[in-house]
Amino acid sequence: MKILLISLLKRGSFIKMISLDRKFYVQNLSKKDKIVKIHDEEKQHLEVLRPSLKDKFWATNGKGLDFLCKIIKMNKKFFEVEVLKVKENKKYPLYLHLFFGVTKRKKWEWLIEKATEMGVLEFTPLITKNNQQYAKGFYKEKKLERFKRKVVAAMKQSRRSFLPKINKPVKFSTLQNHDTKIKNSFVLSFDGIKWKKKDVEKSKKLNLIVGPEGGFTEKEVKILEDKDAKLRNIGIYTLKTETAALKAVSLLTYFKEDF
Amino acid sequence: MKILLISLLKRGSFIKMISLDRKFYVQNLSKKDKIVKIHDEEKQHLEVLRPSLKDKFWATNGKGLDFLCKIIKMNKKFFEVEVLKVKENKKYPLYLHLFFGVTKRKKWEWLIEKATEMGVLEFTPLITKNNQQYAKGFYKEKKLERFKRKVVAAMKQSRRSFLPKINKPVKFSTLQNHDTKIKNSFVLSFDGIKWKKKDVEKSKKLNLIVGPEGGFTEKEVKILEDKDAKLRNIGIYTLKTETAALKAVSLLTYFKEDF
């Protein structure tokens, strides 16, 4: 088979599909586009697969649309592609926004990668009493760019078509003024009750709030409870905060048809 | 408060509890022990917290027993402790054994760490058609020691009292001869149906089998199915194998009271 493929390619009589199990990310693709130029990073990603003229591949714009593209021009600066087909993906049954008490950068990167694979659509680093010392790094523009790259890679890996949003850090004192946001929230806490499927049955959008190592302070928990956040536990053992967050995401997505 | 504590310690009139939120691992502790010597690695872990004579701490033997210990002798070679109290922990409602198609060592270490936090009790690296090239490293005695250390750390971190077992790699051709093991197994597969709580309601022990990157071959899946393994999916998206395994573990432990 391999030999046949190579010989067909050599004769140029065979238009190959680049990597069937990969999806590329081309941010500026929109529904009306017929011809598009691909530059920079995503051009590099394509080049790794050594494409030829007329090769096809799937790309997503990260906003729910997938595009079947055919390469019609290749030069040092860009690839030009023709859009052959557009596919519109259904929105997820749940818009999940994860607030996380960040500590070390590596843990955060690990979490946003895994949670993107699992279907979370928005991330916000949370600065509370117990993790203030870690806040600094998360405000830097360079770091945000790095986080975004992680999330793009995870979206592509899981062949999703919605790129999660990554926000700048939010202080607890700011979050606590957003009454509707808190009301629509689940907070991980040993004092909470067990998750139930019906927790999310009627929700289309919700926030999952996970405290930092060392947890929320009693005062912080009281503020969240007073504003009607719902407390949930995930058992009696002390999971690391990022493990706990991922278990909660696993359950929430499972409850909603494993999107 | 801190000043008071220090001054009390200085006067030696105050017996402190070393790190209330930590549990140590002392493998050779047994129910009958009254006085025990602690050497090597675990002695080092204790030393980090700068204990004094008469300080107390909790230790587990990794076999379900916790011990309240008091330090009664300290020298360069060992600490001697008196056991003040023994606590017996209930067995988990589910004995979960994870077979995983290993590829890179880092992914495996990540997975055994997280899955230990979540309550898995046995791990076996699985060698299948699609991951044979990675098998070598997993057979080395040194690596096994390293994996064990990861699992000990994760057990302590999550304050559990049962140390998971880590096995040497098993070839698919060996696993396929264990009919009862396969019959009692769930296999992650896109062809499977959705997980249900009743999948595990009657089980006290079960195996979760997760293929390598690239998946099981059709032939391998057929063998598992023919021997009555149950196929389950976790949605339509392509999660990394280690993410998929962790989501399955999250669900299984959730179904069984979040042990």
Side-chain angles (χ1 to χ4, degrees):
Chain A
M1 177 60 202
K2 206 175 171 184
I3 292 164
L4 174 69
L5 193 68
I6 290 167
S7 69
L8 280 169
L9 284 171
K10 274 189 182 153
R11 279 189 283 134
S13 61
F14 185 82
I15 297 168
K16 81 174 186 298
M17 187 78 191
I18 310 175
S19 179
L20 277 171
D21 58 351
R22 241 165 128 161
K23 203 189 259 184
F24 294 86
Y25 171 54
V26 184
Q27 197 177 356
N28 55 349
L29 275 169
S30 77
K31 221 171 182 174
K32 294 175 212 160
D33 287 330
K34 292 285 167 238
I35 309 284
V36 179
K37 285 191 176 74
I38 298 179
H39 301 87
D40 305 329
E41 206 170 335
E42 213 53 34
K43 173 174 171 278
Q44 285 165 27
H45 289 171
L46 274 163
E47 274 171 335
V48 171
L49 300 173
R50 303 192 181 187
S52 318
L53 221 54
K54 295 188 186 174
D55 280 353
K56 297 178 201 171
F57 61 91
W58 279 99
T60 180
N61 67 353
K63 299 175 199 93
L65 295 177
D66 290 347
F67 303 80
L68 181 60
C69 303
K70 188 172 111 181
I71 301 177
I72 53 172
K73 198 185 278 180
M74 298 170 85
N75 61 39
K76 275 189 184 169
K77 284 194 173 158
F78 60 86
F79 287 1
E80 200 165 84
V81 301
E82 184 188 342
V83 175
L84 304 178
K85 208 191 277 186
V86 183
K87 203 184 112 198
E88 196 162 347
N89 292 278
K90 236 181 26 182
K91 278 197 177 159
Y92 299 160
L94 186 68
Y95 186 99
L96 200 50
H97 182 166
L98 177 59
F99 291 80
F100 184 74
V102 286
T103 51
K104 289 180 187 155
R105 182 180 52 77
K106 274 204 170 175
K107 290 185 177 206
W108 172 244
E109 288 184 355
W110 175 87
L111 180 62
I112 58 177
E113 181 189 307
K114 297 300 169 201
T116 298
E117 286 179 48
M118 286 190 181
V120 170
L121 281 175
E122 191 168 348
F123 297 98
T124 304
L126 188 60
I127 311 297
T128 72
K129 181 123 196 291
N130 283 337
N131 70 333
Q132 293 175 55
Q133 69 273 37
Y134 295 101
K136 248 185 177 174
F138 290 84
Y139 285 101
K140 286 181 191 152
E141 206 55 53
K142 254 193 177 172
K143 287 279 156 58
L144 258 179
E145 279 308 308
R146 196 187 144 101
F147 299 155
K148 202 186 154 190
R149 278 202 301 278
K150 293 270 171 196
V151 162
V152 166
M155 172 189 72
K156 286 160 65 181
Q157 140 73 33
S158 51
R159 294 180 224 171
R160 293 181 180 271
S161 306
F162 293 96
L163 182 70
K165 197 178 156 195
I166 299 199
N167 302 317
K168 290 204 163 175
V170 163
K171 286 185 182 147
F172 189 87
S173 55
T174 309
L175 177 67
Q176 75 177 46
N177 295 324
H178 288 80
D179 290 17
T180 356
K181 227 170 222 161
I182 296 182
K183 203 176 168 175
N184 202 18
S185 289
F186 288 91
V187 178
L188 279 198
S189 162
F190 280 119
D191 301 327
I193 57 170
K194 190 178 159 91
W195 288 97
K196 289 269 185 301
K197 194 181 172 196
K198 68 167 196 275
D199 280 338
V200 297
E201 242 162 23
K202 287 175 194 162
S203 307
K204 288 196 170 162
K205 188 170 178 172
L206 63 82
N207 307 307
L208 174 63
I209 304 182
V210 182
E213 269 168 60
F216 287 116
T217 62
E218 273 182 42
K219 200 177 150 198
E220 286 167 342
V221 173
K222 196 172 170 331
I223 290 169
L224 293 170
E225 270 194 297
D226 285 351
K227 300 206 169 184
D228 286 334
K230 291 162 271 301
L231 268 51
R232 293 293 177 272
N233 75 46
I234 45 164
I236 58 166
Y237 293 99
T238 315
L239 275 55
K240 285 192 186 169
T241 49
E242 70 275 16
T243 318
L246 209 65
K247 179 163 176 179
V249 171
S250 297
L251 297 181
L252 288 167
T253 53
Y254 166 76
F255 292 149
K256 283 279 192 183
E257 303 147 41
D258 283 314
F259 65 86
Chain B
M1 177 60 203
K2 206 174 170 185
I3 292 162
L4 174 69
L5 192 70
I6 291 168
S7 68
L8 280 167
L9 283 171
K10 273 189 181 152
R11 279 190 280 134
S13 61
F14 185 82
I15 297 169
K16 79 172 188 297
M17 186 78 191
I18 310 176
S19 180
L20 277 170
D21 59 350
R22 242 166 126 161
K23 201 189 259 183
F24 294 86
Y25 171 55
V26 183
Q27 198 177 355
N28 56 349
L29 274 169
S30 77
K31 221 170 181 172
K32 295 174 206 157
D33 287 330
K34 292 285 168 241
I35 308 284
V36 179
K37 285 190 178 74
I38 298 178
H39 301 88
D40 305 328
E41 206 170 336
E42 213 53 33
K43 174 174 170 280
Q44 284 166 26
H45 289 171
L46 273 164
E47 274 171 335
V48 171
L49 300 174
R50 303 190 182 190
S52 317
L53 222 54
K54 294 190 187 171
D55 279 353
K56 297 178 201 171
F57 62 91
W58 278 100
T60 180
N61 67 353
K63 300 175 198 92
L65 295 177
D66 291 345
F67 303 79
L68 181 61
C69 303
K70 189 172 111 181
I71 302 176
I72 54 173
K73 198 184 279 180
M74 298 169 83
N75 61 38
K76 275 189 184 170
K77 284 195 174 160
F78 61 84
F79 288 0
E80 200 165 81
V81 300
E82 184 189 343
V83 175
L84 304 177
K85 210 191 274 184
V86 183
K87 203 184 112 197
E88 196 162 346
N89 292 278
K90 237 182 25 182
K91 279 198 177 158
Y92 299 159
L94 186 68
Y95 186 99
L96 199 50
H97 182 166
L98 177 60
F99 292 80
F100 184 75
V102 285
T103 50
K104 289 180 187 155
R105 181 179 53 74
K106 274 203 169 174
K107 290 186 178 208
W108 172 245
E109 288 184 355
W110 175 87
L111 180 62
I112 57 178
E113 180 189 308
K114 296 299 167 202
T116 298
E117 286 178 49
M118 286 190 182
V120 170
L121 282 175
E122 192 169 347
F123 296 98
T124 305
L126 187 62
I127 311 297
T128 73
K129 180 124 196 289
N130 282 336
N131 70 334
Q132 292 176 54
Q133 67 273 36
Y134 295 100
K136 248 184 176 174
F138 290 83
Y139 285 100
K140 286 180 191 153
E141 207 55 53
K142 255 195 176 171
K143 286 277 156 60
L144 258 179
E145 279 308 308
R146 195 187 145 99
F147 299 155
K148 203 186 153 191
R149 278 201 302 279
K150 292 271 170 195
V151 162
V152 166
M155 174 189 70
K156 288 161 63 181
Q157 140 74 34
S158 51
R159 295 182 224 169
R160 293 180 180 272
S161 306
F162 294 96
L163 183 70
K165 195 176 156 196
I166 300 201
N167 301 317
K168 290 206 165 176
V170 162
K171 285 187 183 144
F172 189 87
S173 54
T174 310
L175 176 68
Q176 75 176 46
N177 295 325
H178 288 79
D179 289 17
T180 357
K181 226 169 223 163
I182 296 181
K183 202 175 169 174
N184 202 17
S185 290
F186 288 90
V187 178
L188 279 198
S189 162
F190 279 119
D191 300 327
I193 56 169
K194 190 178 158 91
W195 289 97
K196 288 269 184 300
K197 195 181 172 196
K198 67 165 198 275
D199 280 338
V200 298
E201 242 161 22
K202 288 176 192 161
S203 307
K204 289 195 169 162
K205 189 172 177 170
L206 64 82
N207 308 307
L208 174 62
I209 304 182
V210 181
E213 269 167 61
F216 288 116
T217 62
E218 272 182 43
K219 198 177 151 197
E220 286 166 343
V221 173
K222 195 174 170 334
I223 289 169
L224 293 170
E225 271 195 296
D226 284 351
K227 299 205 170 183
D228 285 334
K230 289 163 272 300
L231 268 51
R232 293 293 177 271
N233 76 48
I234 46 164
I236 57 164
Y237 292 100
T238 315
L239 275 55
K240 283 190 186 170
T241 49
E242 69 276 18
T243 318
L246 210 65
K247 178 163 177 178
V249 171
S250 297
L251 297 181
L252 288 167
T253 54
Y254 166 77
F255 292 149
K256 283 280 192 183
E257 302 146 44
D258 284 313
F259 65 86

